Amino acid sequence: MRRILWSIALSISMAQALTLENVRADLGKSLMASDSVEIGIRTTVSSSAMSSSQGMTMYLVRKGPAKIYAEVKMPMMNQRTIINGNRMKSIDLDSRKYQVLPYNGESFPMMSYANFNPLDSGEWSEPRLVSGSLYSIKGAKGTLYYDSKKKRIDKMETEDLEKSTSTEFSYDAENNLKTMTIHVSAQGVETSVVTEILKLRHSRDFPDRLFEF
């Protein structure tokens, strides 16, 4: 009888086991269409090797596959970029000088914050239960920790001979990414990079006329 009960329990456990495909599918359900997004970001960098923290803000709108409006503001740069089809206009917002160049479709790193999903690329192992609803998933990029109940990534860790990196994520009530805090320790230097998602929404209301030039 005990053997039968053990077999039933084992079967139930295997049926309920979380798989890598389950995680990818759950993360995919919460992603916003990458060609229909408006996002604002503020990043602050602090380090034991710096006398004061440094910050930058970024704003990006993508409306359809061929229209992008982006602004980057930091101490050494204040720039706006507008892409419409195969043309790109780059404007120095301090001097108002600009240039129009061909655009060949290169990607914008900011888009990764709108659709954060490291499992989209690289090799990853099957999830392993840590405790409760928390699972660890190991890959070439490091180890991430996934909450199967809340269906989101809570933390990611990487470590090599030169440095160790820990990234923690926080979310709003709708499970959208709100902050990403990266701690890096390398050769006695401690660095913290805090990225705040100030705005994340569909770009349907962004005026089309701002893409014209």
Side-chain angles (χ1 to χ4, degrees), residues 61-170:
V61 179
R62 186 164 185 178
K63 200 168 187 180
K67 291 182 179 180
I68 296 175
Y69 181 102
E71 290 185 355
V72 177
K73 297 182 179 181
M74 53 196 305
M76 300 300 292
M77 184 174 68
N78 192 5
Q79 181 175 302
R80 176 182 299 150
T81 302
I82 304 172
I83 294 170
N84 195 336
N86 59 1
R87 295 191 307 148
M88 176 173 67
K89 184 177 183 179
S90 180
I91 308 165
D92 185 318
L93 295 176
D94 293 323
S95 67
R96 309 308 297 182
K97 293 181 179 179
Y98 69 89
Q99 58 180 337
V100 178
L101 301 169
Y103 175 66
N104 59 13
E106 62 264 25
S107 62
F108 277 70
M110 280 179 66
M111 294 304 300
S112 63
Y113 295 106
N115 292 327
F116 178 76
N117 187 359
L119 296 179
D120 273 347
S121 61
E123 296 293 328
W124 296 90
S125 65
E126 291 295 324
R128 296 187 63 179
L129 182 64
V130 177
S131 63
S133 60
L134 187 66
Y135 288 78
S136 67
I137 305 175
K138 292 186 176 182
K141 298 179 181 180
T143 302
L144 62 82
Y145 294 87
Y146 176 76
D147 190 319
S148 63
K149 184 177 181 179
K150 297 179 179 178
K151 301 186 184 304
R152 65 194 191 190
I153 297 170
D154 283 348
K155 188 177 181 180
M156 187 169 178
E157 296 177 337
T158 61
E159 188 169 353
D160 55 37
L161 295 176
E162 297 182 354
K163 66 180 184 299
S164 63
T165 304
S166 174
T167 305
E168 297 179 356
F169 307 93
S170 69

Side-chain angles (χ1 to χ4, degrees), residues 22-23 40 73 79 91-92 115 117 182 198 202 211-212:
N22 292 152
V23 177
K73 297 182 179 181
Q79 181 175 302
I91 308 165
D92 185 318
N115 292 327
N117 187 359
I182 303 173
L198 306 176
H202 198 285
F211 295 106
E212 301 300 328

